[in-house]
Amino acid sequence: MRVAVITGLHRDARERTVRAALTVPRTLVVHHDLSEIDRGTVYRVVRDPGGTVDRARVDLVHACASCTLREDLVPFLLDLAARGDHDLCVVDAWDGVEPRSVAEAIAARDELVLTAVVTAVDADRLLPDLAGHDELADRGLDIAQDDDRAVSEVLSRQIEYPTAIALHGRRHLAEARALVEHLNPAAAVMDPTDTSALTAGRFDTAAAHNRTDPLSAHHGEHSHGRVRTVVWSRRRPVHPTRLHDAMDGLVSMSLRGRGRLWLGSRPDTVLVWDSHRDMATVAAAGPWLAALPEAALDLVPEARRTAALLDWDPAVGDRGQHLAFTGVDLDTDRLIALLDSCLLTDDETASTFADDPFAAVEG
């Protein structure tokens, strides 16, 4: 049985995309209502073109979205596939659900064919949500007691993972389209009424992972009107204290930042940068390939080895800075100057760093 996943924080846009999907013959839609998940209760709602055909309460051992996926969604899809009454099932994902875990769980089953992952976006709400400060909990969209994710964080990940974006709205379409294309150059921006992506092809979860994995992703520079993505690549480590002091300024200048860092105080460890508007995290992500013994390279995923070889340097190997920042009216000269000011000078390259604000950073 074919399965398509439709995600999106913008509920009205997502529901319009789901209604369009129901025009495909022999299609069923399944949606898990997580509004009461904090009380351990989830409702599975099943619809066909005529309306709701079933609404069932799902009691979970542990109240979390991943439990819903594991304990109810996948078994439901497998049962539906075994009965053979429908050719396509559309998974209408709850607002705050990120698509990767859903897609990978479905694609792992031979009985199911994951044809598409689509994120529905409201053009009028895109920039305010990417630039805003709300957390999911502020809108009643959190899906666990400790779910402190920001709206901008979830929306960015919903856009960056799929290969199709259904763009809704009447205003700000050009700017919204540019933002979507900068955040995910691999995605096709589709007409919301176009259902062809749901029934043809096969979604490649491995390719989606490699595109979004900061250890293998290679970002490019783009400019469309007021929207711009700038990439900062350097072959010199950064000073930990100067970078830490610059973080607030770097984050405030862009809507989205992502990539990998080479820190002078941790020369053998890749650090991953992930920023959404006014929030940034830096996490350790294992060793640089140049720091590994040759025998260990065979254990590294092929996509990462290939990405490293694309810009391998004879002196430092794959070590380097590769950060991409996307924003509207981005002051690229100021941003690059601030980043460059964090690099070690010639006199500092042999320094030790007694006061390292990143010393406790872990993956």
Side-chain angles (χ1 to χ4, degrees), residues 85-112:
D85 295 332
H86 297 87
D87 294 335
L88 173 68
C89 183
V90 173
V91 177
D92 173 13
W94 176 254
D95 310 44
V97 170
E98 297 175 21
R100 177 179 169 181
S101 59
V102 181
E104 291 182 347
I106 294 169
R109 302 307 301 242
D110 293 337
E111 303 93 330
L112 307 173

Side-chain angles (χ1 to χ4, degrees), residues 177-210:
R177 185 184 186 102
L179 275 169
V180 165
E181 290 176 343
H182 279 238
L183 292 175
N184 187 352
V189 179
M190 55 182 272
D191 185 301
T193 63
D194 183 4
T195 61
S196 60
L198 304 179
T199 57
R202 194 172 190 133
F203 185 84
D204 189 339
T205 55
H209 170 76
N210 293 335

Side-chain angles (χ1 to χ4, degrees), residues 172-240:
H172 312 299
L173 277 172
E175 185 175 79
R177 185 184 186 102
L179 275 169
V180 165
E181 290 176 343
H182 279 238
L183 292 175
N184 187 352
V189 179
M190 55 182 272
D191 185 301
T193 63
D194 183 4
T195 61
S196 60
L198 304 179
T199 57
R202 194 172 190 133
F203 185 84
D204 189 339
T205 55
H209 170 76
N210 293 335
R211 279 192 292 104
T212 54
D213 182 358
L215 296 181
S216 56
H218 273 262
H219 302 286
E221 295 200 347
H222 309 278
S223 181
H224 297 92
R226 299 172 59 209
V227 181
R228 184 164 184 183
T229 295
V230 61
V231 177
W232 182 67
S233 296
R234 298 290 188 268
R235 286 295 187 177
R236 184 182 287 261
V238 295
H239 191 288

Side-chain angles (χ1 to χ4, degrees), residues 240-255:
T241 303
R242 287 203 295 275
L243 175 64
H244 187 267
D245 292 344
M247 284 182 69
D248 287 346
L250 293 170
V251 171
S252 66
M253 280 189 265
S254 65
L255 297 174

